[in-house]
Amino acid sequence: MNGFDDGKHLSVLDMDLWRLDELEPARITKLRLHLERCTACVQRLAERDEFKQRFRRVMLPHGAPKPRRTFRGKWFNARGVLVFAAGMGALLFAVVPKSPDRKSALPRSEILFGVKGSPTLRVYAKSESGARALSESGRLAASDAIRFVVDPAGARYLLLASVDGDGALNVYFPYGGTESARLPKPGAFAVPGSIVLDAAAGPERVYALLSNEPIPVGRVRAALARLAKRGPETIRKTYALPLSGVEQATFLIEKAEARP
Amino acid sequence: MTASHPNHVRSALALGSLTAARTRTIGVAMEDEAFERLYSRFGPATFAHCRGILHDDAAAEDASQETFLRVHSHLAKAPNAREALFWIYRIATNVCLSELRRRRRKPFAVCNAVEALAIAFGDDVIERDAVARIFGSAPGKVREVAWLHFVSGLDQAEVAEALDVSRGTVVNRLNQFRDLARKLLGRST
């Protein structure tokens, strides 16, 4: 068994059972003692708790995904449904005029964007070999140039801002604006221009804040400033800002020392 | 109903049909309510597990919903939370690792995976690229066992229980993973 007093770290099973109030009392005692001396497990537990909070905040309000139901009716009922559906299909075919040259206003991939899911934020770094998609916690050097692409998942307004380990706050989009900017069209949006990172090494966490009404920049700066005061490690672990009515996507960049 | 039935029989038949339909409706409503309760209770752990592997909120949302749709009937029958969580880990790990492989993303550049492998192999530093290569090269079943053991922290018995295989199978697959890792890291076995 996984004992906390034998040098091993907590397992995800221990963490999840504890949070479900299903961990045996003897193991709870050992778990608490282990957390008193293992900062790595404290951080892992905090990270897992934040993920669960995100679920409750973002996904749970939309309800559970719909399970597939097997049809339990009699065979003649099934036949009736099929006949009805065929009839309706024939009626629609007869009523809707054909427009073979009519094209969709948006490509299919963009029509599907925003139907479900949360917004996403992707970061592309420009290097000598060309542009590459950065993975989370990707390392970059100061003076590296990056670009952001946001999928707003149906939201109309975007504000892109960041905070780094030195406490610097940046509003990348809209640059110089006082509130979120209206997105020009549905679908993925490439933030104009490249961003050149500053010389401060350490984490910089970028937040894409999506909403259906504009958000004042001042409100976001205040939230970022409060986060900045808590230091680089908290910045690394804070996956959402405490802003109600806002969908968020975030990306952590680790800035290395500038190359000579 | 046919015209040959007396009125009271026709009424009874109609009532019977209505009762059956209403029972089915109530049954479906109760199923939905139970499903929502399961989702509320186990959804957070499902998402957290997927997010820990995929490191992307949107991808983790999709994966956790896919996982939950596959696993909910088992959760309903699980005698306790431990059994339910094993089902979640089993399906979610498979879904997420398959997704990473499908996307050919650079996966597993995760602090805890690096640290976990460092502990397993006694090295101070294992490069993230090496972690990605090791996991990326491992066959699917070996990768799942390795992830649950080295990164999620389950012991061999728990991994066996989660994946519904024997402990001997877990040991064999972990040995395969270690051999592969040593080969890729250039260390002797």
Side-chain angles (χ1 to χ4, degrees):
Chain A
M1 292 293 287
N2 183 4
F4 310 124
D5 54 355
D6 60 359
K8 286 190 177 180
H9 294 289
L10 298 184
S11 73
V12 296
L13 180 65
D14 294 309
M15 289 191 265
D16 289 345
L17 282 174
W18 188 35
R19 289 309 191 209
L20 288 169
D21 293 325
E22 297 273 356
L23 194 62
E24 300 152 13
R27 290 180 74 80
I28 293 176
T29 304
K30 286 188 176 180
L31 179 146
R32 289 188 192 278
L33 285 172
H34 181 82
L35 288 174
E36 284 175 10
R37 63 175 187 268
C38 181
T39 54
C41 282
V42 168
Q43 287 177 1
R44 286 175 59 227
L45 180 62
E47 182 185 70
R48 204 162 176 90
D49 286 343
E50 285 204 43
F51 294 158
K52 291 175 181 175
Q53 281 304 319
R54 188 188 191 284
F55 174 88
R56 293 184 187 98
R57 191 176 64 247
V58 175
M59 292 180 71
L60 193 58
H62 295 287
K66 296 302 173 197
R68 301 170 195 94
R69 296 194 193 286
T70 53
F71 184 75
R72 300 194 191 96
K74 295 179 182 177
W75 69 268
F76 56 82
N77 284 341
R79 189 174 67 176
V81 168
L82 285 172
V83 167
F84 178 74
M88 287 304 295
L91 183 63
L92 283 171
F93 182 76
V95 167
V96 174
K98 289 183 188 177
S99 334
D101 297 327
R102 176 173 156 269
K103 286 186 178 132
S104 226
L106 290 168
R108 180 175 169 76
S109 59
E110 292 205 344
I111 291 173
L112 290 176
F113 274 135
V115 172
K116 72 170 185 72
S118 292
T120 61
L121 170 61
R122 291 188 173 83
V123 180
Y124 294 86
K126 189 177 173 186
S127 64
E128 290 164 359
S129 53
R132 60 184 173 91
L134 206 62
S135 54
E136 184 75 11
S137 302
R139 296 191 75 85
L140 291 169
S143 79
D144 276 348
I146 56 175
R147 293 200 66 174
F148 300 106
V149 176
V150 177
D151 173 7
R156 291 199 289 268
Y157 290 86
L158 167 68
L159 194 154
L160 193 73
S162 78
V163 58
D164 73 15
D166 273 6
L169 314 180
N170 296 292
V171 177
Y172 291 128
F173 180 83
Y175 186 73
T178 58
E179 61 182 20
S180 309
R182 178 84 186 230
L183 291 168
K185 60 181 177 75
F189 174 71
V191 176
S194 295
I195 309 295
V196 176
L197 297 174
D198 63 25
E204 178 166 349
R205 187 171 274 288
V206 186
Y207 297 93
L209 306 172
L210 288 306
S211 56
N212 287 327
E213 298 294 332
I215 312 167
V217 166
R219 187 178 159 208
V220 175
R221 281 191 173 276
L224 289 172
R226 286 192 293 272
L227 176 58
K229 286 181 187 170
R230 297 171 67 188
E233 279 311 307
T234 304
I235 290 171
R236 287 189 173 97
K237 293 185 303 183
T238 302
Y239 302 97
L241 296 174
L243 300 167
S244 59
V246 176
E247 290 286 329
Q248 304 187 36
T250 184
F251 198 99
L252 177 67
I253 300 167
E254 290 285 353
K255 294 183 289 184
E257 297 291 337
R259 298 190 192 96
Chain B
M1 273 186 294
T2 65
S4 62
H5 282 94
N7 283 346
H8 66 276
V9 174
R10 283 205 293 272
S11 298
L13 283 171
L15 184 61
S17 299
L18 280 173
T19 302
R22 188 154 178 266
T23 303
R24 276 198 298 277
T25 304
I26 292 172
V28 168
M30 286 174 66
E31 282 180 20
D32 286 344
E33 195 179 314
F35 189 71
E36 292 284 346
R37 278 203 301 273
L38 276 179
Y39 189 61
S40 176
R41 179 162 169 76
F42 292 108
T46 307
F47 176 78
H49 195 77
C50 294
R51 180 62 171 77
I53 299 174
L54 294 171
H55 279 253
D56 179 283
D57 283 337
E61 286 174 18
D62 288 345
S64 59
Q65 294 208 328
E66 175 65 28
T67 298
F68 201 79
L69 285 172
R70 290 196 203 179
V71 84
H72 74 276
S73 59
H74 300 290
L75 298 185
K77 294 173 201 163
N80 50 48
R82 178 188 170 92
E83 296 300 317
L85 287 170
F86 279 146
W87 272 109
I88 290 169
Y89 300 153
R90 178 179 175 182
I91 303 299
T93 305
N94 175 270
V95 167
C96 293
L97 294 182
S98 298
E99 176 62 15
L100 285 174
R101 189 97 182 221
R102 185 186 72 80
R103 290 185 181 192
R104 294 182 188 170
R105 297 173 76 183
K106 198 170 186 179
F108 314 118
V110 293
C111 295
N112 52 356
V114 173
E115 183 189 349
L117 284 184
I119 291 170
F121 291 92
D123 282 331
D124 290 332
V125 175
I126 293 184
E127 292 298 323
R128 290 168 188 250
D129 280 350
V131 173
R133 278 189 289 126
I134 294 167
F135 273 99
S137 302
K141 292 182 178 176
V142 170
R143 196 167 55 228
E144 284 173 14
V145 166
W147 188 274
L148 285 173
H149 181 67
F150 289 121
V151 184
S152 298
L154 273 62
D155 64 28
Q156 292 173 3
E158 289 165 346
V159 174
E161 201 172 342
L163 296 179
D164 196 24
V165 297
S166 69
R167 187 166 173 173
T169 299
V170 171
V171 170
N172 285 339
R173 290 179 184 166
L174 287 176
N175 284 335
Q176 286 178 48
F177 183 83
R178 286 194 183 91
D179 290 344
L180 175 67
R182 289 193 182 97
K183 182 180 166 187
L184 289 174
L185 292 172
R187 287 164 178 76
S188 57
T189 56

